[in-house]
Amino acid sequence: MCYFSRIWSVLYPIFVNRIMGRITQIQSMSLHDGPGIRTTVFTKGCNMRCAWCHNPETWSSKLQIQFLKNKCIDCKACYPSATTSDFTPSLLVRPNQYSISESITIAESCYTGALEVVGKDVYVDELLKTIEKDREFFDESGGGITISGGEPLLQAEFVIEVFKKCKQKGIHTAIESNLHSNSEIVKKVAEYTDLFMVDIKLWDSEKHKKWTGLGNELVLENIKLLNVLGKKLMIRTPVVPGVNDNVEELSSIAKFVNELDCLETYELLPYHSLGNGKYIALGMENEITKFDQISKSHFDYLQDEMALLCKKFKKN
Amino acid sequence: MKTKYDDRIAVLRKKKQNQTEDKIQIEGLLDEDDYGRIAPPKEGAWEIIPNHEDGSFYGVQGWTDNFCDLMEKHPTYVDPNDAFAGRWMYFMSKMRPNLFKPEFSYDHLKPEIEKYNIIDGIGFDAHFAPDYELGLKLGWGGILEKIRKYRDVNAKDEETKLFYDSHERAVLSIQIWIKNTIKEIKRKIDSEIDAELKTNLVEMLTVNENILNDAPQSFREACQWIIWYHLASRTYNRDGAGGQLDTLLYPFYLKDKEAGIIDDEAVVYQLACFLINDPIYWQMGGPDGKGGDMTNHLSYLILEAGDKVNTSLNLTIRVHDQLDQKFLKKSVELLIKNKNAWPRYSGDKALVEGFMRNGYNEELARKRIAVGCNWMSLPGLEYTMNDLVKINTGRVFQVAYNEVIDGGFKEASTDKLYAIFQKHLVIGVKATADCIRFQLEQQRYNEPELLLNLLSYGPLEKGLDASAGGAAYYNLAIDGAGLATIADSFAALQQRIEEEGKITWEELDYHLKGNWEGTDGERIRQLMNRSDRYGQVDSRGDIWAKKISEEFSQLVKNESDEEKGHCFIPGWFSWANTVGLGKALEATPNGRFAKAPISHGANPHPGFSKDGAATSMAKSIAQIQPGYGNTAPMQLELDLSMAKGDQVDNFIALIKTHFKLGGTLINVNIVDQKKILEAHRDPSKYPDLVVRITGFTAYFAMLTPEFRQLVVDRILEN
């Protein structure tokens, strides 16, 4: 081995280890993001804007501040560092009021958790250490890591590096993606991914665009691509009242997924409004779209109908 | 599957619910196990017969006189829907105004007991396990013969003669209780108009007549015999230890099945009645002496019976490598389906390996089973004082902290604090062990173990009480309480003062003394409370917890004395004392308010990490195990998302992994948060809601508001 190759072999892993991802949260003992006991990593930044999204903190790829009013004890410890006299903590979450660096400095003076920075940058190896804490539970349960979002494929390099390392260690890898991405990226990520969990939110592309901001052509193409590549697929549809809670809409999706050889399961997920508090904490009240809750009887009816159409339908 | 017995079980369940409500109305709330006890009739209530001027009774004569008097007068209990007769009503040991004979002074121990808030165990009773197999082999007649035989051999002096005479009187008085019950069954037969219930009563009569003197022969007789023994033993001094139920009853089951006199439906009905009688701690599954699995068909039937009654139950599954996986799965399915906090799980690997570290062989270690709240015992062989003796390590910390502060703020450091903490822990643990030694010297004269002696190997043979040389082994339990409270306190001091410099010792001390008063106090409290806490596997809190646990364990072990046969065994367990021990403690640097509860057993404080993952808690608790065969249990509070059928395998993985990593015992609550909040507001709405408080389960409606709040907080914050 020549001198430069030797140097490179030493520097390469260091270089690679410096790859960083921006995430909002790491959730251990996650039970609903793939098989077994899993650690789910939520990436920050998304290319869709689903009107029913309950994770608005993952939309922007930038760091944000959230203000949880119920945790504020009105100690005013955040006040002195503010530059205006009419300061209140909730101002930090409004765009253009303070720069993010100013906001972060102010938030750091909060000891109660009322003001918090949303988003943090993690190195791959750092993340791996956290993931490996639950290694024994993965092994016993057939679990592993799931990268969710936001949209993980917006940070494809990071995802690939994390998954590559996980595969080297024998850890099962899954991704929750909207698949609205370049097919080359999808192919690269697929090399290290055991399971893809993908939403088909609407069959009609125009409606898809209306409710999510993007059409679904690329999503469907990539699903077909993954099927050709032999990748395991779990397809879900979030059922949102007034958007797609009818048999006509859902049956088109069910028929499509029925043709996929690699389909593991197809399931419906009921809409819930639990994310509304997050919008308020982030100063995104204007982004809230109100939907009715779906009734259990209607949801069960839709599930029964889909079960007739799709042989791998999984009831919730 | 519905059987012809289901209606009877439904009646018994309803009656049990009414009895619990009556007990609350008559006796008030109680932060304890249900014990299966019912309130005695209001009229003609039995009262103790004092033999001391302080109004209490002591010694073998006092206990025998009281017990025999009660047995002869004890109300009878017969329900035509029940397979078995008998309920216990009087908490004899609790009816004494004073627990320990004043003449046996332990004033010399009191300063340390007070200083370190030690639950000394002096005068406390039972908490070791009888061997029911011995009783089933001998029957009451056989036990009487044994007493008389050894009296002839050993009674060379008055004291020994009194020992045997008292045991003989105790057994004869139990027989009187049974005879009185037999009369009541006959009365009930005469008045019963339902043909099936009449038949049931006739069978009940035959069973009781058969076992009045002779050893039980049939399955139903064996169950009824066990019931009589534990009703008597409960009455005597609350003894609640069970045994390995599935193997204990299996020979009777097989014999009756082979003879064609019983079917599985009847067995399940009888087991349901057996379980509703008393939530005794029974183990199932687990290894035999050679490591083979003991699960049998009856193990499944016991689960089925538990499912039918679904009351407060303390069934424990012993998990080991060879355990029938179908059985484990069935048990988890029921835990998830019923959400009634049973069964619980005991980890064989760490318990056996740990117990062997005391010098015992593997075969004996496997026979040490989970038969109490947090505790293990060798049935019939050990005197242990399990779950009776605790040291509040929070108080040890506080004494050390005050000493550091008295030395000046400038000199204060976590290193110094830990060194002083170690010094006081040495004194505290020794004082705790001294309390046990005192008990071993005096308890026979204070409260002899008349009932447990009967089913132990040694007391009758030697003429010595189990507490005083009669037992084969003295494996003496000392539990530490408050681990997370002090580990988090050390971690918070290290992080916030020494590493981050966010606060000084002086500022912190000001807020501690003021109990975090004012907005600034609350702000600093939150800072300390949000430090790097125990429960995250590798946090500062975890590092401190490991260090403290190792230190504590070694100190407890060091108290052992081979010559005297005293083997001290450490554990981490607070039982329901989290509230009481907390009241004795000022504000602590982990952000805990003065007088607030200390941490629960080996658990981290609720809210230990942002994601609150049970996996990291499971790993953290596995890391701090004392490692000598006693437990440091994990209390799991799970929400309804875990309570779905598709989560059974994940839950099994969690159990198995915790045990592989060194865990010893898992207690579980799966609770609907909405339901528990409603029940907290109005307990009468959910009279049958059962929660696992610590090792024991309790009816939520029976708990005091303070304790209900504690349980609610624990569930909501996890």
Side-chain angles (χ1 to χ4, degrees), chain A residues 25-32 34-37 71 73-77 108-117 129 132-137 140-141 314 316, chain B residues 502 519-520 522-524 526-527 530 536-539 610-616 618-619 638 641-642 644 646-647 649-654 656-658 660-661:
Chain A
Q25 194 196 345
I26 301 169
Q27 175 65 54
S28 305
M29 199 171 165
S30 185
L31 302 174
H32 307 284
I37 295 174
K71 287 192 176 180
I73 58 167
D74 202 23
C75 66
K76 299 187 168 54
E108 278 170 357
S109 65
C110 178
Y111 291 167
T112 68
L115 282 171
E116 273 191 348
V117 181
K129 269 187 199 166
E132 281 199 282
K133 277 195 208 173
D134 277 2
R135 177 62 196 254
E136 296 91 344
F137 297 96
E140 190 66 52
S141 68
K314 184 187 163 201
N316 273 311
Chain B
K502 286 193 169 166
T519 309
D520 197 35
E522 176 58 17
R523 179 171 178 262
I524 299 303
Q526 296 259 3
L527 173 76
R530 291 159 61 83
Q536 302 171 56
V537 183
D538 53 5
S539 67
K610 217 165 180 180
D611 65 3
T615 46
S616 64
K619 216 165 167 178
L638 298 172
S641 67
M642 190 82 190
K644 290 184 180 167
D646 61 356
Q647 295 303 333
D649 290 340
N650 284 339
F651 193 79
I652 290 173
L654 183 67
K656 285 164 106 175
T657 309
H658 179 59
K660 267 186 195 167
L661 294 171

Side-chain angles (χ1 to χ4, degrees), chain A residues 283-294:
Chain A
M284 296 165 64
E285 297 93 328
N286 297 339
E287 307 280 356
I288 298 175
T289 309
K290 287 192 177 162
F291 296 100
D292 293 334
Q293 294 293 330
I294 187 158

